[in-house]
Amino acid sequence: MGDARGHVSRSLAVAQAMPRHEFLFVGGDRVHDLKTLGCHTEDLPMASTFYRENRVDFPATIANAVRALAGRSATVKRLADIIRRFDPDLILTDYELFTPLAAHKTGRECISLDHQHILIHCKYEMPPHERVNRFLTCFSVGRLYSAADRFMIISFFNVPPSDPTTTEVLPPVLRLAVKEHTPSEGDHILVYVTGKTFETLLSFLEGVNRKFIVYGFGERPSMGNLVF
């Protein structure tokens, strides 16, 4: 999944942890940024999430998912052919739609390494007013992204898996460049967003007496206490 950099960064960290292995990254959009690091990539359609006016744009998100799923058979067949040629020892998916399906088509197992499956494979308390949001999110995760054989869930907080025989909860996966830094407490707050539609957030931050370094809006001139 490459509609933001989170999945790509984690996948790169996994590859860096196994430097003697060759990796092939499949996916769309930001996945192909890895080419600048000398990685091999293959393009696949994505069921991306779209945003508008500070919220998930459900019509656009659903329409894109329908387009991606309409070509599922052809995409899975092409990816299965890629898997047979590459002949990997291990198949991982970081919240990507087609990899587990293609792995099964070739008679191979697939391991899911992501954070999203904490919603459907772990035990946790839920605020009652979030029941509808949880149902919609779990429906998407369960129906589209849960074809893997095992689940390695990345989490900042410790939660028990519902089925320890198929699911394991692990701490965050960090890139080497991050590990090389020494943690410190500075004078600014880092704000990360996945798209430029969250303009209302900027108005809110302007009213807070702190310096914010904002990532995700692209490069633009500073706005008072906001640095982009």
Side-chain angles (χ1 to χ4, degrees):
M1 173 64 75
D3 56 354
R5 294 191 184 275
H7 300 278
V8 176
S9 293
R10 184 162 52 220
S11 299
L12 179 60
V14 171
Q16 289 176 335
M18 294 185 278
R20 289 182 292 180
H21 288 73
E22 180 184 1
F23 279 80
L24 173 64
F25 296 89
V26 297
D29 201 6
R30 301 290 176 83
V31 171
H32 302 293
D33 290 351
L34 295 173
K35 285 184 177 179
T36 62
L37 302 177
C39 301
H40 302 294
T41 67
E42 288 279 353
D43 187 59
L44 291 182
M46 296 189 307
S48 303
T49 302
F50 291 86
Y51 302 91
R52 181 165 58 90
E53 298 179 354
N54 302 286
R55 295 178 179 273
V56 173
D57 187 338
F58 282 105
T61 298
I62 292 172
N64 180 70
V66 169
R67 287 192 295 270
L69 291 171
R72 185 173 79 166
S73 296
T75 301
V76 170
K77 181 179 183 300
R78 181 168 69 86
L79 182 52
D81 291 339
I82 293 171
I83 290 175
R84 292 188 186 98
R85 290 197 303 270
F86 188 63
D87 193 22
D89 296 304
L90 177 66
I91 300 177
L92 297 170
T93 176
D94 192 326
Y95 206 59
E96 195 282 315
L97 180 60
F98 299 109
T99 302
L101 302 177
H104 294 163
K105 189 176 181 66
T106 62
R108 302 168 187 247
E109 290 191 349
C110 179
I111 297 175
S112 177
L113 177 69
D114 60 61
H115 177 67
Q116 281 77 2
H117 281 95
I118 197 171
L119 290 170
I120 61 176
H121 287 305
C122 292
K123 302 174 183 178
Y124 54 89
E125 295 182 8
M126 179 192 62
H129 64 278
E130 293 291 348
R131 291 184 185 277
V132 174
N133 281 334
R134 180 184 182 276
F135 171 79
L136 293 173
T137 306
C138 288
F139 181 81
S140 173
V141 174
R143 294 289 294 179
L144 297 179
Y145 297 101
S146 296
D149 300 280
R150 295 184 60 83
F151 298 89
M152 301 172 71
I153 296 172
I154 305 303
S155 176
F156 285 97
F157 55 96
N158 190 26
V159 287
S162 301
D163 183 1
T165 63
T166 61
T167 304
E168 186 176 359
V169 179
L170 303 170
V173 177
L174 301 178
R175 290 178 295 119
L176 295 178
V178 176
K179 291 183 177 181
E180 291 173 354
H181 285 281
T182 301
S184 62
E185 186 173 341
D187 62 351
H188 68 272
I189 296 173
L190 177 67
V191 179
Y192 172 87
V193 294
T194 57
K196 300 178 181 180
T197 184
F198 299 98
E199 292 288 343
T200 303
L201 174 64
L202 301 182
S203 300
F204 172 78
L205 296 178
E206 283 184 296
V208 180
N209 188 26
R210 290 294 296 271
K211 177 184 177 181
F212 295 94
I213 295 180
V214 186
Y215 177 92
F217 281 91
E219 293 188 27
R220 60 169 78 177
S222 297
M223 295 168 47
N225 60 329
L226 308 182
V227 179
F228 298 92

